[in-house]
Amino acid sequence: MARIIGGIGTSHVPTIGVAYDKGKQEDPAWAPLFRGYKPVAEWLAKKKPDALVFFYNDHATTFFFDVYPTFALGIGERFEVADEGAGKRPLPPIKGNVDLSIHIAESLVNDEFDMTMFQDRPLDHGCASPLPLLWPHEPDWPGAVVPIAINVLQFPLPTARRCYRLGQAVKRAVESYPEDLKIVVVGTGGLSHQVHGERSGFNNEEWDMEFLDLLVKDPAKLTELRHVDYIRRGGAESAEQIMWLAMRGALEGEIRELHRNYYLATTTAMTVTLYEPA
Amino acid sequence: MNPQLEGVEDLEGTYVFDLRTSHRTMKLNRFLWNMISAGMRESYRADPEAAMSDAGLNETEKALIRAEDWIGLIRHGASFFVLEKFARVAGRTNLEVYAMMRGESFEDFMKTRRVPECR
């Protein structure tokens, strides 16, 4: 039986990818971010999970608004890293696990989560920005990614509670997989930020801390919030933090926070956290 | 009104991208989205007017693109996440676009940030 051995929360700011590719790991302005990922990367190197289930969002790269899925699951041996307007990044294609992805797809649909399935499509910074900070990619990635994209771009978005329940369903899917795989769930996005309109640059550190605390101690409270509550407290684009609730749902029950790094340098509160079941 | 968004109109400087907006600005957003294709970037650079006409943009939209009027495009209903693809083609970083949307010079905007060197 496969099982979930832990969870990670991480921002997916595209600039992280740019700074990584430019080798800014030791740059004093960037070092507090990169350093903050090290304990998580070390934990992953020690625990050696077979796959990361990534709850992330596509930024209208893999999908356009002509057909924009609410929940989509990727199936493939490999996923290319997308060109988002500035050309290709120097990263190997992300590894997939076809059998695991298909099992999760079947389990979710039979559990009444009617996913869209995608194949042969690239993944954008929603997944690719934090991935190389978590896992080495030389000569190749050490494991597979199961990408689960959540619409946080075009309203109506799934509710916070629906995302939590998706996570619970992913837990059931993983635990019904016959092979003894170790799985880590990753929730991406946030924390507070707004990147459009005159309110661009909005942050709320107090709310970010409250969110992180509630995520561990009382996630039900976070599932009761409406999108407008996230927009008001954390900035318009922070509504994407509902993707952390999918990760939390997959961990269900009591958890321990092993690590937290919070770095608000310019516009997005760049955060990484690590959890294990208590 | 989507009950999940009740009261969002009270937030200044915030433009919710919902299906109403998306439906109205489909052609503009597709034009911006196309900038993830190297071929489409080349076509735009070679002949911006032809690329905008081929994409079916109206005169208002063409003028906003010509002027690289970021806040104007957002108010008109562009999704920021396709707008940022066009910003790459226009040679602007996201930080520069945020400053312009706020109506501030880049350096003034960066002074309001905690780590202005983080760019």
Side-chain angles (χ1 to χ4, degrees), chain A residues 24 83 154 198 200 205, chain B residues 22 41 75 102 114 119:
Chain A
K24 291 195 174 180
D83 175 349
Q154 178 179 254
E198 295 86 342
S200 288
E205 191 169 349
Chain B
S22 182
R41 292 197 288 269
R75 286 178 186 153
R102 284 159 56 112
R114 296 209 182 156
R119 45 178 96 170

Side-chain angles (χ1 to χ4, degrees), chain A residues 26-33 263 265, chain B residues 115 117-119:
Chain A
E26 304 302 327
D27 181 320
W30 283 99
L33 170 86
Y263 186 48
Chain B
V115 189
E117 312 76 49
C118 196
R119 45 178 96 170

Side-chain angles (χ1 to χ4, degrees), chain A residues 69-88:
Chain A
T70 298
F71 295 127
L73 191 154
I75 297 158
E77 282 90 13
R78 291 275 175 178
F79 301 95
E80 293 288 332
V81 178
D83 175 349
E84 299 182 54
K88 290 256 182 188

Side-chain angles (χ1 to χ4, degrees), chain A residues 7-84:
Chain A
I8 294 167
T10 174
S11 301
H12 62 223
V13 182
T15 334
I16 297 176
V18 179
Y20 181 87
D21 295 345
K22 286 186 178 167
K24 291 195 174 180
Q25 285 79 345
E26 304 302 327
D27 181 320
W30 283 99
L33 170 86
F34 287 106
R35 264 203 312 271
Y37 277 83
K38 280 199 177 143
V40 187
E42 282 160 14
W43 181 87
L44 285 168
K46 196 173 113 202
K47 298 284 179 180
K48 295 190 172 38
D50 300 284
L52 306 179
V53 174
F54 246 81
F55 297 103
Y56 77 107
N57 73 280
D58 169 62
H59 298 77
T61 309
T62 307
F63 309 108
F64 178 61
F65 303 123
D66 55 348
V67 184
Y68 206 75
T70 298
F71 295 127
L73 191 154
I75 297 158
E77 282 90 13
R78 291 275 175 178
F79 301 95
E80 293 288 332
V81 178
D83 175 349
E84 299 182 54

Side-chain angles (χ1 to χ4, degrees), chain B residues 10-41:
Chain B
D10 301 337
L11 290 173
E12 286 188 12
T14 302
Y15 307 83
V16 165
F17 188 76
D18 68 359
L19 288 170
R20 292 170 190 85
T21 306
S22 182
H23 175 69
R24 185 171 52 74
T25 55
M26 183 75 175
K27 285 180 179 169
L28 173 66
N29 282 319
R30 191 190 288 278
F31 167 79
L32 298 166
W33 177 69
N34 276 335
M35 296 300 153
I36 61 177
S37 145
M40 296 301 270
R41 292 197 288 269

Side-chain angles (χ1 to χ4, degrees), chain A residues 252-264:
Chain A
E252 226 181 352
E254 293 203 5
I255 58 171
R256 286 185 303 132
E257 184 176 324
L258 304 182
H259 175 71
R260 178 190 296 191
N261 190 65
Y262 181 89
Y263 186 48
L264 173 50

